[in-house]
């Protein structure tokens, strides 16, 4: 079956991450195909060496892949990408454009929306097509206490950024036929930032894709946090901190979980000596399974936990330590 | 050097209560505060002014109650205060808001550095900054942790990404959307308070911006909230266990989650 | 401009008036402005457009900030919150009465209520403890009131510490703890900066305990320093609690003193804010002194007037102190013991005919043979 599409109704702006494609981009391609695959799904990918991802993008759901491959695009500059994407969109007029709500995506998408004059909904957790053409975008409001359904109006193009992990895991069909358009790149101006370098967040400090996150609150001391760090190395989990702990100097801001920090959705979230302020809950309520430890039986965190331990955190950490040692002995 | 800081007044998260019947936020008894990351942006702006001279121009768009954040901005070191408010602008989404703010900047005579918070704790879109940068035709950097002005006039900054902290620089004019970082309440001195008393808030309405009702407010918005509703997932039922049992469960679940 | 918290408390206080029988100032002057309600009313009027003039400012300073009103309030409001902020407003708007302006200037320029130079403070400390060690296990923080107005108390305390063989020292020079300036100009940057500097100085000694003679200073160090981000890396102990501990441990063995009809005046910051009432009584008991309790004792203590009020309004200060002496007279006391350098100076200025006034540490030093 020859499937030579010239245009696609739904586009997904994909994001390169390290040596592969960000999970959220693949999630969105599969979601787009599920929403209305017969009207065509296109992937847009930019970067140096972007051409090598066409197979996986197609397998995840793309019929058309627009590629901007140029060494000047290695910088992954949001403003530059936005302008290239906007002019491409203007050429082909898709109806729906989706992008992962990563830090990069949440900067690129609004710039594209502003250039084109499109309605954009941020950080969606749900997408449905109503009556074929209207995209119903669901997103959390007020730290997740409410959900809001948003629709685009007065704009032919409907745009949405989508929270990583909110859509189902991608399905891959490597026999899908696809067509690749290599787009021409020309430098627009000299406003791109000069990058000196990046210092990787230490192991256990990055929440991206973390299956297990253990977070400490201001009730813990520096010793407690260093124990958590050690634990994270042994168990392979990430370490987070409450806002109060960061303000007390116990952890850097990059570890902060909450409305004013990072929103996480791990499989397991362990909250240690965290009271459960509204702004913190907003950051972790999407966790699949939550275990909370707090001295105070009435701490609000227990309303969002599956397992509650009312105890001094030091006792629990000591028990964890002995459990691990026991486990290791048994394994020998 | 003209440093324009965009500030929003938002409801204090801890006070937010949802009316279960109407599925909207209850408005009574809510404390209104300066959006936390805007507060950090303001502190960064004042720091730049202290080190390099210039003016810190605070702009807020909202209802009249929002003058409270402008007063706070003055205490923290802002030199000029502008309250952008017009009945036509009510109900603006991020696109319409960015448009109004960009016209405000043009009306005020441009800027060298634009600073704003990375996102507001009520809307949580983080879109106004980048959209505004497009309307102003200046580059934009989001999720900024810190920034400094170099002697050659370029801004060197650190940007927090998912897995790394990026160290980069670019030329002004540019817009920086700043992370909250460690937000400390600013403790003013007597002279800060005296100085703030003398700064008048200047009102900007559509008489000055001349945008009209079709490009702003509800009419000028490109998105609309159709309905709000509660999460369908039930509240978790917490099972309480002791420390020993809990430790076992933590290890078991952690291993399960990682495998 | 008042904070939201101050406004909330002021709006609740302004029509209530239930605490009027507890204010040590109002009880003596009988003026309607001398109680918490009036001050709340003034704050709420200023918020609603009334001009904050010198008379409003004066009213705000006719107050001991003793917290009796907060103690009495059945609904948990705290007038000192808005009274302190009103004092900041008064300074910002430049409407301080002349007598208050003088002490505010003294505090901001010289670092103490009395305008004494830091060189003089240094020499007073040197005199108290010549060749003081650079480091010690205990740092004795004397406080500006004791250093300048009641040196005999500091001398007595030092004598006691030496007698008990405590490894202690004093600072080379004491600046501002933040207690006095915080009450006069409010908790603004100047106050907090002064406190931070003092905390840093204290930390250089590396002591495990900081023994604080003045309860006002002890309160600020224990309760405000953490809020202000000043960290003292030591345990902060009131002098009364520390000395009581020395007696209990047998390091001090006071002899019995024969005194009759003695009453004890609780320092307001010690008994109310710091919840400490028994160590001082223990010390008196250890000297065999029985006390008769006055009306309004322990956490209900009636403030003596404070060093600050005495400094800017001596006549009012004396009148308030008179009120407390009246309480002593009414129970037939022949003498009063106080345990705070401020109380010593303030109550000491108007001892009624035939009555006697003692400081707890001076008494104890005598009983221990210093």
């Amino acid at each position: 079956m020859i499937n030579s599409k010239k245009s696609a109704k739904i586009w997904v702006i994909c994001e390169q991450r390290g040596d592969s494609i960000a999970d959220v981009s693949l999630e969105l391609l599969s979601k787009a195909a599920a929403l209305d695959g017969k009207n065509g799904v296109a992937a847009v990918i930019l970067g140096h060496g972007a051409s090598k991802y066409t197979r996986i993008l197609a397998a995840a759901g793309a019929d058309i892949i627009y590629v901007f491959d140029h060494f000047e695009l290695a910088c992954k500059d949001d403003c530059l990408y936005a302008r290239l994407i906007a002019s491409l969109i203007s050429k082909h007029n898709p109806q729906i454009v989706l992008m992962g709500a990563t830090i990069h995506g949440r900067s690129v998408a609004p710039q594209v929306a502003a250039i084109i004059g499109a309605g954009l909904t941020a950080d969606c957790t749900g997408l449905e097509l109503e009556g074929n053409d209207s995209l119903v975008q669901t997103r959390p409001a007020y730290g997740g206490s409410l959900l809001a359904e948003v629709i685009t109006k007065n704009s032919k193009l409907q745009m949405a950024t989508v929270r990583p992990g909110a859509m189902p895991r991608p399905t891959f069909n490597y026999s899908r036929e696809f067509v690749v358009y290599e787009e021409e790149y020309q430098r627009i101006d000299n406003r791109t930032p000069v990058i000196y370098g990046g210092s990787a967040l230490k192991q256990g400090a990055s929440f991206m894709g973390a299956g297990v996150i253990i977070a400490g609150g201001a009730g813990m001391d520096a010793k407690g946090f260093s124990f958590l760090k050690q634990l994270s190395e042994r168990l392979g989990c990430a370490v987070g901190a409450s806002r109060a702990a960061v303000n007390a100097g116990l952890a850097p801001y990059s570890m902060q979980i909450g409305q004013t920090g990072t929103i996480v959705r791990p499989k397991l979230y362990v909250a240690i000596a965290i009271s459960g302020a509204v702004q913190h809950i907003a950051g972790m309520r999407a966790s699949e399974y939550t275990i909370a430890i707090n001295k105070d039986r009435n701490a609000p965190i227990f309303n969002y936990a599956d397992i509650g331990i009312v105890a001094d955190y030091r006792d629990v950490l000591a028990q964890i330590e002995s459990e691990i040692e026991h486990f290791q002995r048994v394994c020998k | 050097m003209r440093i324009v800081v965009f500030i929003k007044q938002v409801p204090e998260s801890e006070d937010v209560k949802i009316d279960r019947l109407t599925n909207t936020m209850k408005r009574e008894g809510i404390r209104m505060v300066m959006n936390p990351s805007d507060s950090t942006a303001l502190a960064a702006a004042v720091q730049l002014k202290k080190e390099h001279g210039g003016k810190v121009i605070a702009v807020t768009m909202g209802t009249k109650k929002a003058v409270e954040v402008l007063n706070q901005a003055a205490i923290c070191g802002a030199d000029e205060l502008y309250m952008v408010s017009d009945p036509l602008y009510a109900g603006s989404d991020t696109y319409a808001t960015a448009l109004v703010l960009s016209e405000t900047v043009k009306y005020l005579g441009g800027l060298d550095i634009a600073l704003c918070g990375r996102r507001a704790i009520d809307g949580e879109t983080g879109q106004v900054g980048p959209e505004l940068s497009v309307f102003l035709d200046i580059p934009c950097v989001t999720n900024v942790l810190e920034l400094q002005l170099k002697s050659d006039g370029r801004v060197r900054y650190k940007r927090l990404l998912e897995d790394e902290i990026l160290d980069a620089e670019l030329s002004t004019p540019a817009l920086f959307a700043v992370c909250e970082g460690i937000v400390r309440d600013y403790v003013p001195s007597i002279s800060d308070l005296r100085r703030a008393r003398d700064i008048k808030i200047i009102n900007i309405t559509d008489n000055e911006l001349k945008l009209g009702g079709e490009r702003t407010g509800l009419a000028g918005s490109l998105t609309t909230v159709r309905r709000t509703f509660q999460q369908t997932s039930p509240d978790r039922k917490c099972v309480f266990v002791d420390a020993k049992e809990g430790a076992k469960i933590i290890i078991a679940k952690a291993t399960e989650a990682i495998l | 401009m008042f904070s939201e918290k101050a406004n909330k408390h002021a709006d609740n206080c302004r029509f209530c008036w239930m605490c009027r029988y507890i204010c040590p100032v109002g009880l003596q002057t009988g003026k309607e402005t001398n109680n918490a309600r009036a001050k709340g009313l003034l704050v709420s009027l200023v918020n609603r457009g009334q001009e904050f003039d010198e008379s409003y400012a004066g009213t705000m300073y006719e107050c001991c900030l003793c917290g009796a009103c907060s103690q009495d309030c059945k609904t948990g409001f705290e007038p000192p919150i808005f009274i302190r902020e009103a004092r900041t407003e008064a300074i910002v708007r430049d409407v301080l009465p002349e007598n208050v302006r003088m002490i505010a200037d003294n505090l901001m320029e010289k670092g103490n209520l009395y305008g004494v130079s830091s060189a003089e403070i240094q020499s007073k400390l040197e005199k108290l403890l010549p060749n003081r060690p650079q480091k010690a296990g205990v740092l004795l923080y004397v406080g500006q009131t004791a250093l300048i107005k009641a040196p005999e108390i500091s001398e007595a305390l030092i004598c006691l510490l030496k007698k008990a063989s405590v490894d202690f020292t004093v600072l080379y020079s004491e600046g501002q703890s933040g207690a006095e300036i915080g009450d006069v100009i409010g908790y603004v940057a100047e106050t907090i900066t002064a406190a931070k500097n003092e905390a840093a100085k204290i930390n250089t000694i590396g002591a495990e305990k900081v023994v604080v003679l003045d309860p006002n200073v002890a309160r600020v160090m224990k309760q405000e320093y953490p809020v202000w981000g000043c960290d003292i890396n030591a345990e902060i102990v009131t002098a009364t609690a520390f000395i009581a501990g020395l007696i209990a441990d047998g390091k001090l063995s006071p002899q019995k003193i024969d005194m009759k009809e003695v009453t004890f005046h609780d320092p307001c910051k010690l008994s109310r804010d710091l919840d400490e009432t028994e160590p001082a009584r223990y010390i008196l008991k250890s000297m065999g002194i029985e006390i008769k309790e006055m009306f309004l004792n322990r956490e209900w203590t009636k403030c003596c007037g404070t060093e600050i009020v005495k400094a800017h309004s001596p006549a009012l200060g004396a009148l308030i102190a008179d009120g407390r002496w009246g309480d002593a007279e009414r129970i037939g006391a022949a003498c009063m013991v106080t345990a705070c350098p401020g109380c010593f100076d303030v109550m000491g200025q108007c001892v009624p005919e035939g009555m006697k006034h003692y400081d707890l540490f001076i008494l104890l030093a005598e009983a221990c043979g210093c």
Side-chain angles (χ1 to χ4, degrees):
Chain A
M1 182 177 66
I2 296 180
N3 188 6
S4 57
K5 293 221 151 52
K6 285 289 186 189
S7 66
K9 175 173 163 178
I10 306 180
W11 285 23
V12 176
I13 315 297
C14 300
E15 182 178 339
Q16 216 178 333
R17 178 155 279 147
D19 240 349
S20 57
I21 296 287
D23 287 340
V24 64
S25 308
L26 302 172
E27 287 163 15
L28 286 177
L29 283 169
S30 293
K31 176 69 178 178
L35 277 177
D36 201 3
K38 65 182 193 300
N39 281 313
V41 173
V44 180
I45 185 71
L46 308 92
H48 188 212
S51 323
K52 62 182 188 261
Y53 301 114
T54 51
R55 274 206 72 213
I56 190 172
L57 294 174
D63 307 298
I64 299 176
I65 303 163
Y66 299 101
V67 178
F68 289 85
D69 189 340
H70 195 279
F71 69 85
E72 281 189 8
L73 293 173
C75 61
K76 203 176 168 183
D77 178 51
D78 306 335
C79 309
L80 176 56
Y81 279 28
R83 280 178 292 175
L84 295 171
I85 294 166
S87 74
L88 188 68
I89 289 175
S90 304
K91 268 206 321 221
H92 300 282
N93 294 310
Q95 287 183 24
I96 295 170
V97 172
L98 306 173
M99 190 164 187
T102 59
I103 292 168
H104 171 73
R106 294 180 79 162
S107 173
V108 171
Q111 291 185 62
V112 172
I115 294 170
I116 293 182
L120 168 67
T121 307
D123 203 30
C124 299
T125 50
L127 291 175
E128 291 312 323
L129 260 189
E130 236 178 43
N132 260 0
D133 283 341
S134 180
L135 184 69
V136 179
Q137 305 139 63
T138 305
R139 68 179 303 261
Y142 300 117
S145 349
L146 276 188
L147 290 174
E149 253 178 27
V150 184
I151 51 172
T152 313
K153 63 181 184 85
N154 301 335
S155 155
K156 281 219 312 246
L157 172 60
Q158 303 169 79
M159 289 185 67
T161 55
V162 179
R163 191 177 283 190
M167 297 293 127
R169 300 183 73 153
T171 50
F172 296 97
N173 170 14
Y174 282 92
S175 58
R176 174 181 279 108
E177 303 219 352
F178 62 96
V179 81
V180 177
Y181 294 105
E182 303 266 353
E183 296 294 321
E184 212 188 287
Y185 162 77
Q186 260 180 12
R187 183 190 298 183
I188 298 173
D189 58 32
N190 290 323
R191 299 202 297 195
T192 334
V194 166
I195 298 177
Y196 285 96
S199 52
L201 290 177
K202 288 180 287 246
Q203 198 276 329
S206 166
F207 299 127
M208 200 178 46
V212 179
I213 298 177
I214 304 187
M220 278 179 53
D221 55 17
K223 227 173 89 181
F225 268 97
S226 76
F227 178 82
L228 285 192
K229 249 193 84 190
Q230 285 169 35
L231 194 63
S232 81
E233 281 158 30
R234 284 156 113 180
L235 290 180
C237 60
V239 182
S242 70
R243 180 172 71 178
V246 171
N247 280 352
L250 292 166
Y253 172 73
S254 52
M255 278 170 60
Q256 187 170 315
I257 291 176
Q259 229 183 0
T260 52
T262 307
I263 314 277
V264 296
R265 51 187 307 138
K267 294 212 187 84
L268 171 67
Y269 188 82
V270 182
I272 304 181
I274 292 178
S275 61
V278 171
Q279 54 81 21
H280 185 81
I281 301 297
M284 47 62 70
R285 69 189 298 156
S287 316
E288 264 177 52
Y289 200 84
T290 304
I291 301 176
I293 301 161
N294 197 298
K295 262 194 318 208
D296 178 8
R297 172 66 174 81
N298 294 318
I301 188 87
F302 291 123
N303 294 329
Y304 298 91
D306 299 288
I307 299 279
I309 310 170
V310 181
D312 185 312
Y313 76 90
R314 278 168 276 243
D315 292 338
V316 185
L317 291 187
Q319 290 288 346
I320 292 180
E321 175 103 58
S322 74
E323 270 303 309
I324 293 183
E325 277 168 47
H326 169 83
F327 197 69
Q328 287 179 334
R329 258 181 282 130
V330 164
C331 285
K332 283 218 170 79
Chain B
M1 181 169 61
R2 291 170 59 83
I3 309 166
V4 179
V5 186
F6 301 93
I7 301 174
K8 187 180 180 189
Q9 189 182 49
V10 295
E12 164 61 68
S13 307
E14 293 304 312
D15 293 351
V16 170
K17 302 259 181 300
I18 304 299
D19 183 325
R20 306 242 145 198
L21 289 175
T22 59
N23 284 325
T24 52
M25 187 182 81
K26 292 193 199 181
R27 301 241 162 223
E28 316 86 52
I30 300 249
R31 276 174 300 162
M32 299 300 281
V33 297
M34 186 185 295
N35 182 44
S37 51
D38 296 351
S39 169
T40 310
L42 177 62
V46 173
Q47 185 63 22
L48 281 174
K49 175 185 79 159
K50 287 198 172 131
E51 286 167 10
H52 304 275
K55 268 203 197 150
V56 172
I57 299 160
V59 175
T60 192
M61 178 173 149
T63 64
K64 283 299 179 194
K65 187 162 164 67
V67 298
E68 291 166 359
V69 296
L70 288 179
N71 286 326
Q72 267 175 274
I75 291 172
C76 296
D79 302 292
E80 290 175 21
L81 309 172
Y82 296 95
M83 173 78 241
V84 180
S85 187
D86 194 294
L88 289 177
Y89 302 160
S92 295
D93 71 353
T94 61
Y95 184 90
T97 301
L99 186 62
V100 170
L101 291 177
S102 69
E103 281 305 305
T104 305
V105 170
K106 290 175 190 155
Y107 175 77
L108 293 179
L111 48 72
D112 298 295
I113 297 181
L115 287 171
C116 63
R118 66 160 183 165
R119 74 173 78 119
I121 57 175
D122 56 358
E124 296 185 289
T125 64
Q127 288 174 184
V128 172
E131 287 176 324
L132 176 56
S133 75
V134 166
F135 295 139
L136 293 175
D137 194 24
I138 60 180
C140 144
V141 186
T142 59
N143 251 45
V144 172
L145 278 178
E146 51 184 80
L147 51 105
Q148 282 139 33
L149 194 58
K150 289 166 61 204
S151 48
D152 61 6
R154 284 163 66 81
V155 174
R156 180 133 176 198
Y157 59 89
K158 286 210 165 71
R159 186 182 186 202
L160 177 64
L161 297 174
E162 281 93 348
D163 49 1
E164 65 171 345
I165 295 177
L166 205 65
D167 182 3
E169 78 174 31
L170 50 53
S171 294
T172 59
L175 182 143
F176 300 90
V178 169
C179 286
E180 289 83 342
I182 296 179
V183 180
R184 294 227 184 276
D185 280 332
Y186 182 73
V187 181
S189 67
I190 303 278
S191 51
D192 285 338
L193 292 167
R194 283 196 176 129
R195 187 187 152 273
R197 273 176 62 73
D198 293 330
I199 303 179
K200 292 274 167 286
I201 295 174
I202 298 177
N203 290 309
I204 296 182
T205 67
D206 201 53
N207 289 336
E208 285 77 40
L209 300 183
K210 306 194 198 311
L211 281 168
E214 273 171 36
R215 301 169 68 195
T216 58
L218 283 174
S221 297
L222 301 177
T223 54
T224 179
V225 176
R226 191 164 82 162
R227 73 175 182 116
T228 50
F229 56 100
Q230 317 266 345
Q231 297 258 19
T232 49
S233 58
D235 278 331
R236 295 174 206 255
K237 268 230 103 171
C238 188
V239 174
F240 286 92
V241 302
D242 66 23
K244 198 162 154 70
E245 183 65 32
K248 287 207 176 82
I249 299 178
I250 290 175
I251 303 282
K253 285 277 173 190
T255 335
E256 192 189 307
I258 291 183
L259 291 173
Chain C
M1 244 205 5
F2 295 96
S3 70
E4 212 176 322
K5 191 175 182 190
N7 286 335
K8 179 172 160 198
H9 287 240
D11 280 351
N12 276 284
C13 284
R14 62 191 165 136
F15 297 140
C16 173
W17 221 10
M18 278 178 64
C19 63
R20 63 190 176 280
Y21 295 117
I22 211 83
C23 176
V25 188
L27 281 172
Q28 287 300 92
T29 66
K31 275 165 59 175
E32 194 184 345
T33 48
N34 291 149
N35 60 64
R37 169 196 178 239
K39 298 175 179 52
L41 188 53
L42 289 178
V43 169
S44 70
L45 286 173
V46 167
N47 281 333
R48 287 157 178 80
Q50 279 278 32
E51 200 199 313
F52 193 141
D53 65 12
E54 201 175 296
S55 69
Y56 282 27
T59 301
M60 295 303 171
Y61 284 93
E62 286 172 9
C63 161
C64 307
L65 284 179
C66 72
C69 43
S70 311
Q71 176 78 18
D72 190 53
C73 180
K74 305 293 182 276
T75 29
F77 292 107
E78 296 175 51
I81 291 174
F82 55 79
I83 297 172
R84 249 191 219 97
E85 281 193 30
R87 295 181 179 187
T88 305
E89 271 308 295
I91 296 175
V92 167
R93 292 171 200 240
D94 269 316
V95 292
L96 284 187
E98 186 53 40
N99 54 331
V100 179
R101 183 191 309 276
M102 258 173 43
I103 59 156
D105 285 344
N106 280 346
L107 283 165
M108 300 224 271
E109 284 155 32
K110 294 279 174 57
N112 57 70
L113 279 167
Y114 321 97
V116 167
S117 72
S118 53
E120 254 192 86
I121 303 270
Q122 264 179 46
S123 74
K124 284 182 199 288
L125 281 162
E126 171 69 27
K127 205 165 135 221
L128 269 181
L129 196 64
N131 307 316
R132 101 266 187 292
Q134 294 250 6
K135 302 230 176 256
V138 168
L139 173 70
L140 170 64
Y141 191 90
V142 181
Q144 51 178 267
T145 303
L147 275 175
I148 299 166
K149 288 290 183 171
E152 323 91 287
I153 301 183
S154 350
E155 282 157 16
L157 187 52
I158 287 194
C159 191
L160 287 166
L161 293 175
K162 281 183 177 157
K163 244 255 137 76
S165 309
V166 176
D167 165 39
F168 78 99
T169 188
V170 296
L171 283 178
Y172 179 66
S173 179
E174 284 185 9
Q176 294 218 57
S177 64
E180 297 80 8
I181 192 174
D183 281 351
V184 174
I185 74 172
Y187 295 158
V188 286
E190 287 86 341
T191 300
I192 292 169
T193 305
K196 282 199 166 120
N197 291 338
E198 202 70 349
K201 242 197 273 180
I202 290 171
N203 286 335
T204 60
I205 304 291
E208 276 153 25
K209 282 199 167 110
V210 177
V211 173
V212 185
L213 168 54
D214 190 329
N216 289 328
V217 175
R219 179 200 84 80
V220 163
M221 285 185 178
K222 279 179 154 233
Q223 295 179 347
E224 303 299 345
Y225 274 32
V227 177
W228 294 343
C230 313
D231 291 305
I232 292 189
N233 309 327
E235 191 195 339
I236 299 159
V237 188
T238 60
T240 37
F242 189 72
I243 296 290
L246 290 177
I247 297 174
D249 289 343
K251 301 246 174 62
L252 282 172
S253 311
Q255 298 204 316
K256 307 286 182 235
I257 298 188
D258 186 27
M259 275 169 74
K260 303 265 189 319
E261 314 296 346
V262 182
T263 189
F264 175 69
H265 167 68
D266 291 275
C268 57
K269 296 300 191 294
L270 190 68
S271 61
R272 249 198 293 281
D273 297 82
L274 293 176
D275 280 322
E276 188 195 300
T277 56
E278 301 319 300
R281 287 170 171 77
Y282 177 79
I283 295 174
L284 287 168
K285 199 146 177 233
S286 73
M287 296 186 278
I289 299 175
E290 292 278 330
I291 46 173
K292 300 165 89 152
E293 300 284 0
M294 279 183 284
F295 173 58
L296 293 178
N297 61 70
R298 291 189 169 81
E299 70 270 19
W300 289 106
T301 190
K302 187 193 287 180
C303 182
C304 64
T306 74
E307 200 54 33
I308 291 173
V309 171
K310 175 168 179 280
H312 64 68
S313 306
L316 177 63
L319 186 56
I320 300 168
D322 240 1
R324 194 47 164 167
W325 277 116
D327 290 341
E329 284 175 316
R330 271 186 283 280
I331 55 157
C335 51
M336 178 194 289
V337 178
T338 56
C340 156
C343 295
F344 188 69
D345 186 39
V346 170
M347 297 298 275
Q349 70 184 316
C350 53
V351 184
E353 191 75 44
M355 294 193 71
K356 289 213 176 345
H357 174 211
Y358 300 96
D359 171 77
L360 181 67
F361 297 115
I362 296 178
L363 212 51
L364 183 66
E366 220 186 273
C368 289
C370 284

